[in-house]
């Protein structure tokens, strides 16, 4: 304020001086005109000269004042330009950014973007908040705003040194010692694989399995009367566990392919053969159920010829043994054939140095935490060893064999249960021993970093693809409306939206009524993966849409039950009041929907302190003053129940649910 007053005083002073200067200039001209009469009027001339001196002083003062004001004005102008340059905002932009993103980066509202593009070739009517902008239009908006443009580049982190753990090079052949073969039993479902293994280890695994179907990979060490040892992997034969069978084939030396003599080659039989070929693992053929009257082993052998499995009887190198897993017939011949093939393969391993192995299965056990079943392939595992597998690591606290007995070390080809994992690794992960916990953390951090980098690349690729799709769609829309005026375009778009609204509402209702929320919990990691793979094959969404709410490893918990129960939506009561209808006072709850949606035609529960105190229907559901059938997440509403005696309390919960009893019918064939 003081500066403004000072400026005003300077201007007034300058104005006064100018007026005086103008007056004195006129007097000087008069003095010069009368100079010719100076000899006649000496006294008057002297006075004139005196006035002339005063005039010069005033002129100098005026000019000085003018220079002072001009200098200050110039300084103000320079300061203003400098301030303008300093205040010119730099906006960081990127290719494909949306209208909303550009407005946010400029700290403007969306209308500013629209106004900046008003007189350009952009179709303003088609622009939405999430519409992507071409590079030329981004530049145009920034230019009109007077701001500076800065193109954003992908932030390149400093090149990190690879800290991953890798297998060590092959050691001295002189250090290698013979090892037991790792054998996988594969084949079609119900062809007798588990029963065959039961005969070998004299246990009743099948009796403990749900429905008689093996649910996950088991690894067992079987000692034969001859003194030989064989590690068996009991891989599931069901179609659902195809991925697990593939992992089993990758860690095995020999595959026993079980084919039922009365059934012949089936779908999973072919898959097992393919896994063996991919892993380059030799096959021993076990033709099972030869005790049945309808058994035809030769037919099975001939069918296998079509898949390049040629038995010795037909001039090939595949040993075929006719067995009966149920009665135990010829089981010794099968083991001898397996041992003979193992001797031909001359299987050896290095029992020294850091451990290398493979996770066969992983699960979470109550009281023991994450547990893995592994096959050791190199080195000798001991208590206290530091292991990494995938993005998990462990300090081995406890090891146990297939019978649950605690062991102190595990040699190559030996199956072992490992306890001490910080997180749960995945079945199929490679196990490597490292020198310290710090090194284990370093390896896991590096692998997580690599995963993040890969995800970033995939996200950027997806963004670019979406941007191109949007540009193509936008170009087609512009061509469609290119010859029309903006009024005609607006009218056509209005009609299209009006026609689409009923269709969208109908689709929404149908989708909500035909959606099945699913929560999946598996006993082990591999089983869970297999079930999720089954979900990927679901092809009956037109009949019923499956919505995966949650999945995980472990027992079904109370949280899972609560999640399943409340998934259809729920609201909390924020206020209570009553309305009068006739002579009755009806209690009304003012609610806000927390998740899902409330649908008037469905059933409702009133929950207080975790207990259901009422179940029934609504007699009214309103949004403001309007009766409405559906209230979505985040919306407020007022509702009243069909039970007049129920009193609402602030903090109560309202849950919307639906009860249906209909036979499950679907055209989807999951394979079992």
């Amino acid at each position: 304020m003081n500066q403004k007053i000072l400026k005003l005083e300077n201007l007034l002073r300058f104005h006064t001086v100018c007026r005086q200067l103008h007056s004195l200039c006129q007097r000087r001209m008069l003095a010069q005109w009368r100079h010719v009469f100076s000899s006649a009027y000496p006294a008057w001339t002297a006075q004139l000269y005196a006035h002339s001196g005063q005039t010069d002083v005033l002129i100098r003062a005026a000019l000085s004042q003018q220079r002072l004001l001009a200098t200050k004005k110039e300084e103000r102008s320079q300061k203003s330009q400098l301030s303008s340059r300093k205040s010119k905002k730099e906006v960081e932009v990127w290719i494909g950014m949306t209208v909303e993103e550009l407005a946010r980066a400029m700290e403007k509202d969306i209308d500013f973007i629209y106004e900046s593009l008003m007189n350009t070739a952009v179709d303003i009517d088609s622009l939405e908040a999430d519409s992507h902008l071409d590079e030329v239009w981004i530049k145009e908006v920034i230019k009109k705003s007077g701001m500076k443009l800065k193109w954003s580049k992908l932030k390149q982190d400093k090149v990190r040194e690879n800290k991953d753990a890798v297998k060590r090079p092959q050691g001295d052949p002189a250090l290698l010692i013979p090892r037991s073969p790792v054998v996988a039993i594969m084949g079609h479902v119900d062809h007798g694989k588990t029963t065959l293994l039961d005969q070998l280890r004299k246990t009743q695994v099948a009796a403990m399995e749900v429905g008689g179907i093996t649910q996950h990979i088991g690894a067992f060490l079987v000692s034969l009367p001859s003194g030989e040892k064989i590690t068996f992997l009991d891989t599931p034969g069901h179609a659902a566990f195809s991925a697990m069978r593939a992992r089993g084939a990758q860690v095995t030396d020999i595959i026993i392919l079980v084919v039922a003599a009365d059934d012949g080659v089936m779908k999973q039989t072919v898959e097992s053969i393919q896994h063996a070929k991919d892993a380059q693992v030799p096959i021993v053929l076990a033709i099972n159920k030869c005790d049945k009257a309808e058994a035809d082993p030769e037919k099975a052998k001939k069918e296998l010829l079509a898949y390049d499995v040629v038995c010795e009887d037909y001039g090939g190198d595949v040993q075929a043994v006719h067995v009966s897993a149920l009665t135990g017939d010829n089981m010794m011949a099968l083991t001898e054939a397996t041992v003979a093939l193992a001797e031909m393969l001359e299987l050896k391993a290095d029992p020294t140095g850091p451990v290398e192995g493979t996770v066969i299965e992983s699960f979470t056990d109550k009281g023991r935490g994450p547990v893995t079943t592994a096959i050791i392939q190199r080195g000798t595992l001991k208590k206290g060893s530091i292991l990494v597998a995938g993005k998990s690591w462990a300090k081995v606290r406890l090891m146990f064999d297939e019978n649950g007995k605690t062991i102190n070390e595990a040699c190559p080809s030996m199956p072992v249960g490992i306890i001490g994992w910080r997180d749960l690794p995945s079945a199929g992960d490679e196990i490597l021993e490292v020198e310290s916990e710090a090194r284990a953390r370093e390896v896991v951090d590096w692998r997580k970093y690599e995963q993040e980098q890969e995800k970033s690349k995939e996200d950027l690729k997806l963004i670019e693809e979406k941007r191109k799709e949007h540009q193509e769609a936008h170009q087609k829309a512009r061509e469609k409306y290119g010859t029309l005026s903006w009024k005609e375009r607006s009218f056509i778009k209005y009609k299209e939206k009006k026609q689409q609204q009923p269709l969208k509402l109908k689709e929404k209702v149908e989708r909500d009524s035909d959606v099945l929320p699913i929560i999946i919990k598996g006993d082990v990691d591999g089983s869970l993966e297999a079930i999720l793979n089954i979900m990927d094959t679901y092809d009956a969404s037109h009949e019923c849409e499956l919505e995966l709410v949650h999945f995980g490893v472990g027992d079904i918990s109370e949280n899972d039950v609560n999640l399943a129960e409340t998934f259809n939506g729920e609201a909390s009561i924020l206020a209570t009041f009553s309305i009068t209808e006739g002579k009755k006072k009806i209690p009304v709850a003012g609610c806000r929907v927390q998740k899902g949606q409330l649908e008037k035609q469905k059933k409702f529960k009133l929950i207080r302190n975790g207990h259901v105190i009422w179940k029934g229907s609504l007699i009214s559901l309103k949004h403001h003053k309007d009766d409405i059938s559906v209230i979505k997440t985040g919306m407020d509403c007022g509702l009243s129940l069909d039970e007049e005696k129920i009193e609402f309390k602030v903090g109560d919960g309202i849950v919307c649910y639906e009860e249906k009893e209909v036979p499950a019918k679907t055209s989807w064939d999951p394979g079992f």
Side-chain angles (χ1 to χ4, degrees), residues 62-338:
L63 291 174
S64 175
Q65 188 70 21
Q66 185 180 13
R67 283 195 299 271
L68 178 63
L69 292 174
T71 302
K72 289 184 176 179
K73 184 177 181 181
E74 185 177 357
E75 288 176 354
R76 286 198 303 271
S77 177
Q78 290 176 351
K79 286 182 180 178
S80 177
Q81 291 177 1
L82 183 62
S83 175
S84 177
R85 284 196 295 270
K86 285 184 178 178
S87 64
K88 197 169 187 180
K89 182 177 177 178
E90 188 175 68
V91 182
E92 189 174 18
V93 298
W94 58 91
I95 294 176
M97 69 189 310
T98 63
V99 173
E100 186 176 18
E101 289 170 341
L102 181 56
R104 194 183 304 119
M106 297 174 65
E107 296 182 357
K108 303 282 188 181
D109 56 20
I110 293 179
D111 290 337
F112 179 85
I113 309 298
Y114 292 149
E115 291 170 5
S116 301
L117 297 172
M118 189 68 72
N119 296 319
T120 64
V122 177
D123 183 8
I124 302 296
D125 296 333
S126 66
L127 278 185
E128 302 291 343
D130 58 350
S131 298
H132 293 270
L133 294 171
D134 292 340
E135 179 181 343
V136 63
W137 308 129
I138 295 173
K139 289 181 177 179
E140 183 69 19
V141 174
I142 300 296
K143 180 181 177 182
K144 289 189 176 181
S145 69
M147 299 180 183
K148 290 176 69 176
L149 182 74
K150 179 184 177 183
W151 287 105
S152 173
K153 295 181 180 179
L154 294 177
K155 294 182 179 178
Q156 299 292 335
D157 293 336
K158 291 182 179 179
V159 178
R160 291 179 58 173
E161 183 182 355
N162 191 326
K163 298 291 185 179
D164 203 1
V166 294
K167 287 184 176 181
R168 53 194 166 102
Q170 291 296 329
D172 186 354
L175 298 175
L176 302 181
I177 62 172
R179 64 174 179 83
S180 303
V182 179
V183 180
I185 297 181
M186 294 187 175
H188 191 71
V189 62
D190 199 32
H191 275 203
K193 300 179 302 302
T194 304
T195 307
L196 186 149
L197 194 62
D198 289 343
Q199 285 290 340
L200 294 172
R201 58 180 176 165
K202 301 299 180 182
T203 58
Q204 293 297 321
V205 173
M208 295 184 291
E209 300 288 358
V210 178
I213 297 177
T214 304
Q215 298 296 309
H216 53 82
I217 295 176
F220 308 92
L221 186 64
V222 176
S223 298
L224 304 178
S226 60
E228 300 286 345
K229 292 183 178 181
I230 302 176
T231 295
F232 285 98
L233 300 183
D234 183 14
T235 61
H238 198 277
F241 302 94
S242 178
M244 296 167 64
R245 286 203 306 277
R247 287 199 192 99
Q250 296 297 331
V251 297
T252 55
D253 304 306
I254 298 171
I255 287 178
I256 294 180
L257 180 64
V258 180
V259 181
D262 62 337
D263 213 6
V265 176
M266 303 296 286
K267 183 178 179 181
Q268 279 78 51
T269 310
V270 177
E271 288 181 5
S272 299
I273 293 170
Q274 190 59 49
H275 291 320
K277 288 181 178 179
D278 293 341
Q280 297 182 350
V281 177
I283 291 175
V284 173
L285 179 62
I287 302 180
N288 193 23
K289 301 186 180 182
C290 289
D291 56 312
K292 286 192 171 184
E294 60 271 27
D296 189 353
E298 295 303 318
K299 178 186 175 183
K301 292 179 185 179
K302 291 177 182 177
E303 289 177 349
L304 288 168
L305 292 174
Y307 303 98
D308 295 327
V309 178
V310 184
C311 299
E312 292 176 336
D313 298 350
Y314 293 93
D317 57 358
V318 176
Q319 300 179 78
V321 183
H322 300 185
V323 299
S324 172
L326 187 63
T327 63
D329 290 346
N330 234 9
M331 296 302 296
M332 190 55 63
L334 179 62
T335 58
E336 289 173 354
T338 304

Side-chain angles (χ1 to χ4, degrees), residues 434-495:
V434 294
E435 58 271 20
S436 65
E437 293 185 21
R439 174 63 178 139
R441 293 189 187 96
E442 187 178 59
V443 172
V444 170
D445 288 343
W446 167 258
R447 291 179 177 180
K448 289 179 179 178
Y449 167 76
E450 274 194 318
Q451 186 183 43
E452 290 171 0
Q453 293 298 103
E454 288 298 320
K455 187 177 184 304
S456 296
K457 290 178 182 178
E458 292 174 1
D459 290 345
L460 287 173
K461 184 178 178 181
L462 184 62
I463 289 171
E464 183 62 22
E465 290 175 356
K466 291 291 184 182
R467 187 182 71 84
K468 287 181 179 179
E469 289 177 6
H470 180 81
Q471 285 181 335
E472 291 173 0
H474 179 62
Q475 185 64 31
K476 288 180 180 178
R478 288 181 62 183
E479 292 173 359
K480 179 180 178 181
Y481 302 116
T483 58
L484 304 176
S485 66
W486 70 271
K487 288 185 178 179
E488 292 172 325
R489 287 199 303 269
S490 299
F491 179 69
I492 292 175
K493 288 178 181 178
Y494 168 75
K495 288 176 64 178

